[in-house]
């Protein structure tokens, strides 16, 4: 394991493990978060997805419908809900439910249908097709109905989806016990109607001026739902005893004696609270501390789904870190990301240039000494040859004696200089290894603005073919300085062999050239990931013979990159520094120092 460098310092305490604890303070009004100055403190969006999928025991974008940490937790919440709403209760008590992910389960759409990127068109199609019930909810509502509670649903869905929603609820078993009579109808399901340009909602009971956002032309979730709960109380002359929802904005605003939160880390609907909100709303906010394993495994045992960093605020935190705009385009001049890179690259440049200068000087001195001795050996060989010819030409005893003496001396000089030359050990030449994506070439605008944090090889290929990636801020200067200081420059990327030429061209066009304008990255020293073929049973044979892929018919990033660094060292180089944005770029040895570029936009194990 090499020494790892973070924030410009070198440490040998093996920190080549992603963080697992995070602080994320979400503003419930707009979903924005605190913005860390360290990218490693931002929850990695791929790790968040993996954790969510583990929580739902999901595979192929579909949640397990029988067993998961989510189902276990929801059933426990339902049990507590029934305890909080006993058989004996005052008359006129009402229980209000949200619909999506409170009564109807949207997970398969959120993951498999939209890759956690809301799209109105695909969502409308999913609503039309219908969702399954949240596990246990039909039975829970039947019990509450049997106990005499009045059941209402308040959803942010538009009025145009009211009948589809009612049909979906009925089809999923939200019916009175022992009958097919729906528990909800047009009188007990409230959808969110539009607000006309004057700021007047078409639902007269909704007060769009009640929110802290001071925007009467936009009726927030809290304004709509709190106003509607107040309206329900007026209609029934009763009291909302319990308000149940999966979003904090479903629950804020008062007009309920109690609230029950259904866990949902798959999206976050932010909303400004009412100016008259009860003090208890201060508790209706997401956690601020999270524990999450990079591979997502913590999702199988997390105490609550709300203890998983919610993916929507995570994306906003990432955008804040990169100073990205609403279109997913990073700020190219000023951001916490750029500031952190500058703080890292300054000390890194000093460290690698000092190492390159020292090591290349040692190599050059040894090479020069060897070259000088090579010349002496060559000269001595000529002298021996000449002396042998003199022996042959000698005709008198005196001439022969002198010629033999001269030959002996020539041979002694040759042996002496050969021994000295052979004693010269050429040290390994210093080399640096650089990953491509988000180490030398900056992918942020592709990851966010184009792919929405969902990898798409076709979209990536457009950017690779078009040489569209800018340079990672500051890295051009670092690579130039290292090469000028005497280090050989190598690239090792997970991109395919067919993408090598475009990658090198992109690097060259973005400034990775030496003082003479020659490319710093060349095909001879730029390694792409070759294919792995299967032969001889289960043995996987890489097309790059130096790569050891094991016997699993796949070559991991670590196997490929570590083996390739070893191959570079076998050619007479010493990898004095290895740069990458993924931990898998750096693990596996064959580097004296490793340098981690922060990147919370994806995770490659």
């Amino acid at each position: 394991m090499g020494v790892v460098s973070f924030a410009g310092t070198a440490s040998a305490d093996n920190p080549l493990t992603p963080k697992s604890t995070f602080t994320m303070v979400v503003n419930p009004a707009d979903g924005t978060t605190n913005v860390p100055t360290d990218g490693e403190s931002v929850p990695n969006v791929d790790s968040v997805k993996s954790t969510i999928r583990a929580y739902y025991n999901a595979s192929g974008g579909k949640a397990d419908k029988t067993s998961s940490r989510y189902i276990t937790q929801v059933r426990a919440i339902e049990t507590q809900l029934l305890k909080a709403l006993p058989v004996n209760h005052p008359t006129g008590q009402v229980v209000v439910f949200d619909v999506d992910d409170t009564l109807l389960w949207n997970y398969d759409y959120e993951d498999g249908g939209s890759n956690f990127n809301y799209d109105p068109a695909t969502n409308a199609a999913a609503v039309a097709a219908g969702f399954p019930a949240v596990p246990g909810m039909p039975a829970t509502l039947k019990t509450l109905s049997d106990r005499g509670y009045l059941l209402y649903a308040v959803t942010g869905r538009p009025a145009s989806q009211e009948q589809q929603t009612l049909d979906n609820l009925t089809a999923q078993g939200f019916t009175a016990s022992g009958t097919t009579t729906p528990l909800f109808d047009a009188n007990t399901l409230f959808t969110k109607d539009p607000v006309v340009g004057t700021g007047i909602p078409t639902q007269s009971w909704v007060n769009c001026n009640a929110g802290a956002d001071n925007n009467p032309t936009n009726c927030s979730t809290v304004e709509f739902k709190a106003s509607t709960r107040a309206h329900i109380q007026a209609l029934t002359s009763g009291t909302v005893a319990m308000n149940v929802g999966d979003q904090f904005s479903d629950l804020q605003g008062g007009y309920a004696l109690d609230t029950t939160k259904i866990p949902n880390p798959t999206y976050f609907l932010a909303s400004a609270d009412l100016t008259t909100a009860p003090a208890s709303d201060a508790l209706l906010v997401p956690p601020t501390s999270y524990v999450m394993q990079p591979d997502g495994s913590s999702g199988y045992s997390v105490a609550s789904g709300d203890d998983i960093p919610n993916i929507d605020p995570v994306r906003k935190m990432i955008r804040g870190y990169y100073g990205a705009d609403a279109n997913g385009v990073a700020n190219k001049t000023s951001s916490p990301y750029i500031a952190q890179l500058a703080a890292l690259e300054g000390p890194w440049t000093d460290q690698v240039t000092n190492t390159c200068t020292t090591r290349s000087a040692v190599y050059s001195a040894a090479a020069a000494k060897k070259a000088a001795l090579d010349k002496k050996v060559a000269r001595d060989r000529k002298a021996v040859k000449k002396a042998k010819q003199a022996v042959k030409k000698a005709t008198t005893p005196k001439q022969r004696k002198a010629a033999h003496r001269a030959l002996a001396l020539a041979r002694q000089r040759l042996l002496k200089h050969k021994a000295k030359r052979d004693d010269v050990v050429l040290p390994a030449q210093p080399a640096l290894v650089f990953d491509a994506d988000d180490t030398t070439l900056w992918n942020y605008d592709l990851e966010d603005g184009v792919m929405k944090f969902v990898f798409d090889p076709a979209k990536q290929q457009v950017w690779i073919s078009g040489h569209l990636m800018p340079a990672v801020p500051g890295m051009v200067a670092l690579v130039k300085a290292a090469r000028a200081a005497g280090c050989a420059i190598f690239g090792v990327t997970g991109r395919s062999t067919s993408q090598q030429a475009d990658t090198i061209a992109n690097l060259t066009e973005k400034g990775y050239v030496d003082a003479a304008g020659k490319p710093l990255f060349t095909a001879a020293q730029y390694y792409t990931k070759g294919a792995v073929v299967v032969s001889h049973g289960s043995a996987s044979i890489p097309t790059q013979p130096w790569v050891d892929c094991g016997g699993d018919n796949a070559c991991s990033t670590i196997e490929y990159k570590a083996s390739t660094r070893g191959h570079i060292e076998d050619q007479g180089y010493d990898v004095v520094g290895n740069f990458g944005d993924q931990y898998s770029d750096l693990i596996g040895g064959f580097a004296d120092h490793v340098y981690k570029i922060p990147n919370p936009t994806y995770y490659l194990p």
Side-chain angles (χ1 to χ4, degrees), residues 113 192 314 383 387 416 475 546:
K192 188 177 182 181
V314 165
K416 181 180 73 173
M475 287 302 291
W546 60 83

Side-chain angles (χ1 to χ4, degrees), residues 257-383:
L257 298 179
D258 202 356
T259 59
T260 294
K261 174 73 169 63
I262 305 298
N264 182 7
T266 68
Y267 55 89
F268 186 85
L269 301 179
S271 175
D273 205 346
L274 303 188
T275 55
T276 58
S280 58
D281 275 13
L283 301 175
L284 293 174
V285 294
T288 58
S289 297
Y290 300 87
V291 175
M292 180 182 70
Q293 296 302 318
D295 62 358
S297 58
S298 49
Y300 291 113
S301 58
V302 67
S304 167
D306 288 327
D307 290 327
I308 299 171
N310 189 290
I311 194 167
D312 282 344
V314 165
R315 282 189 286 241
K316 289 198 173 185
M317 180 180 273
I318 291 172
R319 287 166 185 149
Y321 174 64
Y322 287 92
D325 62 20
N327 296 316
V329 176
N331 189 313
K332 303 302 186 297
T333 58
S334 177
S335 68
Y337 170 72
I338 290 174
Q340 184 180 12
L341 284 185
L344 292 169
E345 290 162 347
W348 288 355
T349 300
D350 290 342
Q351 186 179 45
V352 297
T353 53
N354 288 338
T355 301
C356 293
T357 299
T358 301
R359 294 289 298 277
S360 63
V362 171
Y363 175 83
S364 296
K369 184 176 181 181
K370 185 176 184 301
L373 288 167
D374 281 340
K375 289 181 179 179
K376 289 183 177 180
V377 167
R379 183 190 63 197
D380 292 342
R381 284 195 173 119
K382 288 181 180 179

Side-chain angles (χ1 to χ4, degrees), residues 498-575:
S498 64
Q499 296 170 331
Q500 185 199 54
D502 281 323
T503 302
I504 294 172
N506 195 165
L507 288 161
T508 303
E509 290 166 12
K510 299 309 176 184
Y512 288 97
V513 295
D514 65 15
K518 294 181 180 179
L520 290 170
F521 292 99
T522 62
Q525 295 184 172
Y526 206 88
Y527 291 90
T528 50
K529 191 174 183 181
V532 175
V533 297
V534 179
S535 61
H536 304 295
S538 63
S540 54
I541 310 298
T543 55
Q544 295 162 310
W546 60 83
V547 177
D548 182 2
C549 296
D552 57 359
N553 300 334
C555 211
S556 72
T557 298
I558 293 173
E559 288 171 330
Y560 154 64
K561 292 201 168 187
S563 295
T564 301
R565 291 193 301 274
H567 175 63
I568 291 169
E569 294 199 332
D570 287 343
Q571 296 176 74
Y573 294 92
D574 177 25
V575 177

Side-chain angles (χ1 to χ4, degrees), residues 21-264:
T21 59
F22 303 91
T23 297
M24 184 172 73
V25 182
V26 182
N27 182 346
D30 60 11
T32 59
T33 72
N34 58 305
V35 180
T37 56
D38 175 14
E40 300 299 324
S41 296
V42 179
N44 188 289
V45 70
D46 277 353
S47 296
V48 170
K49 291 178 185 179
S50 296
T51 306
I52 290 172
R53 287 168 178 147
Y55 176 62
Y56 289 91
N57 202 21
S59 177
K62 295 184 181 297
D64 191 313
K65 304 302 186 295
T66 58
S67 176
S68 67
R69 181 68 190 123
Y70 168 77
I71 290 175
T72 299
Q73 186 185 2
V74 166
R75 292 197 179 279
I77 290 171
E78 291 162 347
T79 298
Q80 292 300 315
L81 182 63
L82 292 177
K83 287 183 179 179
L85 298 169
V87 173
N88 297 317
H89 59 83
T91 58
Q93 290 213 316
V94 179
V95 183
V96 173
F97 294 86
D98 171 56
V99 173
D100 291 298
D101 291 298
T102 301
L103 298 178
L104 296 175
W105 194 10
N106 293 22
Y107 182 84
D108 292 356
Y109 164 73
E110 295 297 334
D111 186 357
S114 69
N115 283 307
F116 302 110
N117 283 291
Y118 177 76
D119 178 85
T122 58
N123 179 262
V127 169
F131 298 107
V134 168
M137 276 297 180
T140 299
L141 269 68
K142 288 178 193 290
T143 300
L144 292 174
S145 178
D146 291 343
R147 291 178 180 181
Y149 289 95
L150 303 177
L151 305 182
Y152 282 80
V154 181
T155 176
R157 292 183 180 188
S160 61
Q161 295 179 342
E162 179 181 286
Q163 192 56 53
Q164 292 172 328
T165 303
L166 290 170
D167 292 344
N168 193 170
L169 289 165
T170 302
Q172 290 301 316
F174 290 96
T175 55
S177 295
T179 74
T180 58
T181 304
L183 289 174
F184 298 101
D185 58 26
N187 294 317
T188 56
L189 172 68
F190 288 88
T191 52
K192 188 177 182 181
D193 288 359
V195 175
V196 296
T198 56
I200 308 298
T202 55
Q203 295 163 307
S204 58
W205 63 84
V206 176
N207 182 3
C208 296
N209 290 293
D213 59 354
N214 295 314
N215 184 3
T217 62
N218 175 43
C219 217
S220 71
T221 298
V222 176
E223 287 171 329
F224 160 63
K225 293 201 169 188
S227 295
T228 302
R229 290 193 298 275
H231 178 61
I232 291 169
Q233 291 190 146
L235 284 175
T236 61
S237 299
T239 301
V240 176
M242 184 67 70
N243 179 25
V244 186
D246 67 292
Q247 298 294 308
F248 291 101
S249 55
D250 294 336
L251 309 177
Q252 295 171 324
Y255 301 105
L257 298 179
D258 202 356
T259 59
T260 294
K261 174 73 169 63
I262 305 298
N264 182 7

